[in-house]
């Protein structure tokens, strides 16, 4: 059979080696190579051209192997199919479900075959393991865990223009650890189970300075509750063969899919290890065309993988892992970084596979977003909160501490469970409750309404030890996008203490003016809360406000206010809040301790396009008086 290879460099060299073997067996003739660069071939004299359609027409190729960048797969596969050539398509098949559907439509239109290059699915170990699961040999199976830990040099991520990219020139690429080098782990795990996917959770990180993930994990839940976890990294020291472990209550099976090795362990202590045969996918495609043999990996069998890839594509941008968690190796002469390692990550991927847990659930230190001042951790940021809808879920800072370690925030206190440390909350934005709890209804009072919104993290455009810039979407009931927020949070040292800078810009997405209301605008006098809000610990003793008492500062438009208190053990603290706007302050100290802005103190605030606010808070050990707090406030906004 005549074969054309699209993409002869990089991984394409592996295909050239396989084509040489099949040529020697008399099965194929390499008739053409499609590439933007000429390729040297010593076992054939293929026609070479960068135009795939033209090349297929000239050579009459019956099979086209596509081994090109991920984002080119759909166009080239459709071109080959419509030119009359069957396709062996490298994994991942496409960069999105819509691209996958384009290829599927061309397969249906032409009646030709498309085999996807998940080579691990050519192993006889996969149906053998499926049979073990189906026959109950392992008992009731509670889940499958996958782990992979490889070492890749820095040059791996600069080997091509698309390497390490989530998108290139506005086009989805999705070249990450889960979707490319360890795509086989995901695809093989999915091939062991049946049933639709109900939910996909992702945690994406990068050690190297790239756009995509090099250290990541995910959890797939099927409709019947079955769980698959995959944890992988390209930042280990050395190569650890990736594997899948099937957890049953009457045994376990471990498949090292790169070696076609299946180990079965039963409660009686017996251990059986079998190495299975593997069928080459190109040979299988040839057999399919000649004899009608079934394809081992037809395009239709990879739809669930593409669903997982799409979850990665749409997930928040991967988080950078701070350099303090890395081991960096440099070239002794040039000083350039040659490797970045993540100590202990291979063991962490193994724990994930064993416990069916995500990295954050295993308390990996680099999974937490922390603010640090002078190498002291002063605040944690929860950007994916697990909260009930009635809390109006939103990212928040908690705990926040003084330099001496005194905690000055509280999360979900009994008096107001929807108070969440430090963040932005608005009781009524365009009719949606982004504060949490009950909604104040005019002439009626507080009522439980189905009006709660959610603030969803979209991406960190900057994330370092001293702060971050975050993009969020504010979605109302039913998921309707209502506003976009850019949030900037920075921690910086000040004399003997530290300051938290918190800025946010809200952009109206509705296409019409939106009103910001508070309970006060609906008739509850003094309840003008909404905007930046800091909930201090309710266990604090000796609470007081500055420059006057609660009655004096509540509703004032002073450039600053302060709150002081002490822990039950008697450790004093002071918070000095300074604002750049002229909003009234919302202050509570007697019933509970909290300070925030009042964007709509006694009348609605209309949000036509954008709204920007900035509050800087000094976090201080000890108790300040009014004069000292005023001096601190003057310095905060300089």
């Amino acid at each position: 059979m005549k074969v054309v290879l699209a993409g002869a460099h990089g991984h394409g060299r592996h295909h050239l080696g396989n084509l040489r073997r099949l040529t020697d067996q008399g099965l194929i003739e390499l008739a053409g190579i499609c590439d933007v660069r000429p390729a040297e071939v010593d076992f054939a004299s293929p026609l070479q051209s960068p135009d795939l359609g033209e090349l297929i027409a000239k050579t009459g190729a019956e099979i086209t192997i596509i081994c090109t960048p991920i984002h080119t797969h759909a166009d080239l596969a459709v071109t080959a199919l419509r030119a009359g050539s069957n396709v062996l398509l490298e994994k991942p098949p496409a960069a999105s479900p819509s691209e996958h559907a384009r290829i599927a439509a061309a397969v249906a239109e032409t009646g030709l075959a498309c085999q996807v290059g998940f080579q691990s699915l050519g192993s006889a170990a996969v149906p053998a393991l499926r049979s073990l699961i189906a026959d109950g040999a392992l008992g009731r199976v509670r889940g499958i865990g996958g782990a992979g830990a490889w070492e890749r040099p820095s040059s791996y991520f600069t080997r091509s223009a698309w390497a390490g990219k989530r998108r290139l020139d506005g086009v989805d690429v999705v070249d990450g650890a889960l979707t490319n080098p360890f795509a086989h782990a995901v695809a093989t795990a999915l091939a062991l189970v049946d049933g639709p996917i109900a939910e996909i959770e992702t945690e994406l990180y990068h050690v190297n300075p790239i756009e995509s993930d090099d250290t990541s994990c995910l959890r797939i839940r099927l409709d019947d509750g079955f769980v698959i976890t995959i944890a992988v990294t390209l930042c280990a020291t050395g190569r650890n063969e990736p594997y899948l472990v099937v957890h049953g209550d009457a045994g376990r099976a471990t498949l090292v899919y790169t070696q076609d090795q299946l180990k079965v362990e039963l409660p009686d202590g017996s251990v059986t290890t079998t190495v299975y045969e593997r069928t080459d996918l190109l040979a299988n495609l040839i057999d399919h065309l000649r004899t009608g043999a079934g394809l081992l990996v037809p395009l239709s069998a990879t739809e669930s993988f593409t669903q997982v890839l799409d979850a990665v594509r749409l997930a928040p941008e991967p988080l950078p892992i701070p350099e303090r968690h890395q081991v960096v190796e440099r070239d002794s002469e040039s000083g350039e970084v040659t490797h970045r390692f993540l100590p202990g990550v291979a063991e962490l991927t193994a724990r994930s596979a064993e416990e069916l847990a995500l990295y954050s659930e295993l308390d990996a230190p680099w999974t937490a977003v922390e603010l640090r001042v002078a190498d002291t951790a002063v605040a944690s940021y929860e950007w994916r909160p697990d909260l009930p809808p009635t809390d109006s879920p939103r990212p928040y800072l908690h705990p926040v501490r003084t330099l001496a370690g005194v905690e000055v925030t509280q999360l979900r206190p009994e008096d107001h469970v929807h108070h969440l440390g430090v963040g932005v909350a608005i009781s009524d934005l365009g009719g949606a409750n982004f504060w949490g709890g009950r909604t104040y209804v005019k002439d009626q009072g507080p009522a439980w309404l189905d009006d709660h919104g959610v603030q969803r993290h979209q991406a960190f455009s900057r994330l370092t030890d001293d702060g971050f810039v975050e993009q969020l979407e504010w979605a109302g009931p039913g998921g309707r996008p209502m506003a976009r927020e850019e949030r900037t949070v920075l921690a910086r040292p000040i004399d003997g203490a530290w300051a938290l800078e918190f800025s946010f810009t809200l952009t109206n997405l509705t296409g019409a003016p939106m009103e910001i209301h508070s309970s006060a605008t609906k008739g509850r006098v003094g309840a003008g809360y909404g905007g930046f809000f800091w909930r201090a610990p309710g266990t604090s003793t000796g609470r007081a406000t500055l420059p006057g008492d609660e009655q004096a500062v509540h509703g004032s438009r002073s450039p600053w206010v302060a709150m002081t208190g002490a822990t039950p053990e008697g450790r004093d603290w002071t918070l000095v809040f300074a604002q750049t706007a002229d909003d009234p302050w919302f202050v509570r100290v007697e019933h509970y301790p909290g300070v925030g802005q009042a964007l709509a103190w006694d009348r609605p605030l209309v949000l036509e396009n954008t709204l920007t606010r900035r509050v800087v808070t000094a976090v201080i050990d000890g108790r300040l008086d009014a004069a000292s707090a005023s001096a601190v406030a003057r310095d905060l906004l300089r």
Side-chain angles (χ1 to χ4, degrees):
M1 285 191 171
K2 292 183 178 181
V3 176
V4 162
L5 172 63
H9 301 280
H11 187 62
R13 289 191 289 270
H14 163 79
H15 284 284
L16 283 173
N18 194 40
L19 290 166
R20 174 196 290 271
R21 181 179 65 84
L22 295 176
T23 297
D24 291 343
Q25 294 177 11
L27 290 176
I28 66 103
E29 172 194 344
L30 178 59
I33 288 180
C34 180
D35 206 308
V36 294
R37 291 182 292 157
E40 293 185 6
V41 181
D42 59 5
F43 63 91
S45 301
L47 183 65
Q48 301 201 30
S49 168
D51 188 319
L52 181 60
E54 179 183 84
L55 190 61
I56 294 172
K58 287 182 176 180
T59 60
E62 297 157 273
I63 296 175
T64 297
I65 301 171
I66 297 175
C67 184
T68 57
I70 300 165
H71 57 293
T72 66
H73 283 189
D75 284 345
L76 292 176
V78 170
T79 295
L81 289 162
R82 288 180 175 166
S85 181
N86 300 277
V87 170
L88 174 60
L89 179 61
E90 258 301 343
K91 56 79 188 168
S96 69
S98 61
E99 296 288 83
H100 190 285
R102 283 182 58 211
I103 305 171
V107 169
E109 170 192 326
T110 61
L112 297 174
C114 180
Q115 174 112 292
V116 179
F118 284 114
Q119 190 61 47
S120 61
L121 300 186
S123 174
V126 174
L129 183 49
R130 274 187 62 94
S131 294
L132 280 176
I133 297 171
D135 295 345
L138 304 176
R140 182 177 178 275
V141 175
R142 64 184 178 90
I144 299 173
W150 287 346
E151 174 186 326
R152 289 292 183 268
S154 300
S155 57
Y156 174 83
F157 303 100
T158 58
R159 69 191 189 279
S160 65
W162 58 272
K165 293 288 197 303
R166 279 166 72 80
R167 56 193 65 84
L168 183 65
D169 299 329
V171 177
D172 290 319
V173 175
V174 205
D175 176 43
L178 283 165
T179 54
N180 195 0
F182 290 107
H184 286 93
V186 178
T188 307
L190 289 169
L192 296 174
V193 299
D194 298 308
I197 294 173
E199 180 186 17
I200 302 170
E201 302 170 76
T202 61
E203 292 187 359
L204 310 179
Y205 303 90
H206 60 85
V207 175
N208 291 275
I210 58 175
E211 186 179 281
S212 62
D213 58 293
D214 57 33
T215 300
S216 47
C217 60
L218 59 77
R219 178 160 49 215
I220 303 166
R221 294 187 190 276
L222 303 185
D223 269 355
D224 61 3
F226 194 93
V227 171
I228 297 170
T229 62
I230 307 289
V232 299
T233 183
L234 298 173
C235 303
T237 52
R239 178 186 173 99
N240 302 266
E241 291 301 325
Y243 63 90
L244 300 172
V245 57
V246 180
H247 297 277
D249 60 12
R252 58 188 279 147
T254 303
L255 172 61
V256 182
Y257 61 80
T258 54
Q259 299 175 345
D260 307 307
Q261 176 185 291
L262 179 60
K263 181 171 73 172
V264 180
E265 303 168 80
L266 299 177
D268 61 6
S270 63
V271 178
T272 303
T273 301
T274 307
V275 177
Y276 288 83
E277 295 292 327
R278 178 184 292 194
T279 300
D280 176 74
L281 295 182
L282 178 56
N284 172 243
L285 176 57
I286 294 169
D287 194 22
H288 169 77
L289 298 176
R290 284 182 168 175
T291 70
L295 288 177
L296 288 171
V297 197
L299 180 69
S300 58
T302 66
E303 288 181 358
S304 58
F305 173 83
T306 301
Q307 188 177 346
V308 173
L309 178 143
D310 202 45
V312 173
R313 181 179 72 91
L314 298 174
E317 298 296 311
L319 299 185
I321 295 177
E323 196 161 296
R324 68 177 183 276
H325 297 296
Q326 307 174 21
V327 172
V328 180
E329 287 189 358
R330 299 179 182 273
D331 182 86
S332 58
E333 295 183 1
S334 68
E336 292 184 358
V337 174
T338 59
H339 290 82
R340 292 179 183 270
F341 300 116
L342 201 53
V345 72
E347 293 77 10
L348 192 68
T349 62
R351 283 184 58 203
S352 171
E354 190 63 32
E355 300 177 31
L356 302 178
L358 302 178
Y359 287 145
S360 62
E361 297 166 342
L362 298 172
D363 296 324
W366 36 266
T367 61
V369 175
E370 283 188 336
L371 302 184
R372 302 175 75 86
V373 173
D375 206 32
T376 297
V378 293
S380 295
Y381 188 64
E382 180 53 67
W383 56 281
R384 292 197 296 188
D386 182 14
L387 296 166
T390 51
D391 281 2
S392 297
R394 55 198 183 271
Y396 57 82
L397 287 154
H398 176 81
V400 179
R401 300 184 178 90
T402 68
L403 289 180
V406 176
E407 196 167 298
V408 289
T409 53
Q410 189 171 9
L411 180 69
R412 306 195 78 234
E414 290 186 5
D415 54 68
H416 292 82
V417 294
H418 48 277
H419 286 185
L420 308 174
V422 180
V424 182
I426 295 175
S427 62
D428 186 335
L429 173 66
N433 181 343
F434 289 97
W435 180 270
R438 295 179 294 174
T439 298
Y440 193 86
V441 179
K442 186 176 182 180
D443 299 326
Q444 178 181 333
W448 285 108
L449 303 178
D450 188 19
D451 64 348
H452 294 88
V454 60
Q455 298 173 22
R456 294 194 183 97
H457 168 91
Q458 299 292 303
F460 287 110
S461 56
R462 175 185 182 270
L463 178 59
T464 59
D465 283 349
D466 66 349
F468 56 82
V469 178
E470 181 186 22
Q471 316 301 320
L472 303 102
E473 179 186 76
W474 291 42
R480 178 172 63 97
M482 298 181 67
R484 180 176 62 250
E485 180 192 349
E486 180 172 277
R487 180 176 300 183
T488 301
V489 177
L490 299 171
R492 58 180 171 85
I494 58 176
D495 188 21
W498 71 280
L500 177 71
E501 297 198 22
F502 196 114
S503 304
F504 67 93
T505 297
L506 274 182
T507 300
N508 185 348
L509 298 179
T510 66
M514 268 195 304
E515 287 190 345
I516 295 174
H517 283 269
S518 66
S519 297
T521 67
K522 302 173 185 179
R524 187 180 175 189
V525 178
Y529 50 82
F532 168 86
F533 184 71
W534 187 304
R535 172 60 197 247
T539 56
S540 300
T541 62
R543 302 194 297 255
T545 57
L546 301 170
D549 61 15
E550 180 178 339
Q551 186 175 357
V553 297
H554 181 63
S556 72
R557 295 179 182 269
S558 168
W560 68 274
V561 296
M563 178 177 289
T564 65
T567 67
E569 297 76 28
R571 301 175 70 185
D572 291 326
W573 53 263
T574 301
L575 301 172
V576 180
F577 302 88
Q579 66 169 331
T580 56
D582 188 36
D583 295 313
W585 290 104
F586 176 83
V587 182
R588 290 286 185 261
V589 70
E590 293 183 7
H591 179 49
Y592 66 83
V595 174
Q597 293 169 303
L599 297 176
W601 175 249
D602 54 9
R603 65 187 64 183
L605 174 66
V606 178
L607 176 58
E608 294 191 359
N609 296 308
T610 61
L611 168 75
T612 298
R613 292 293 188 269
R614 176 177 176 238
V615 176
V616 185
T617 307
V619 184
I620 301 169
D621 287 292
R623 186 177 293 267
L624 269 58
D625 58 22
S628 300
S630 178
V632 169
R634 284 195 300 271
D635 292 338
L636 284 178
L637 299 179
R638 289 181 178 174

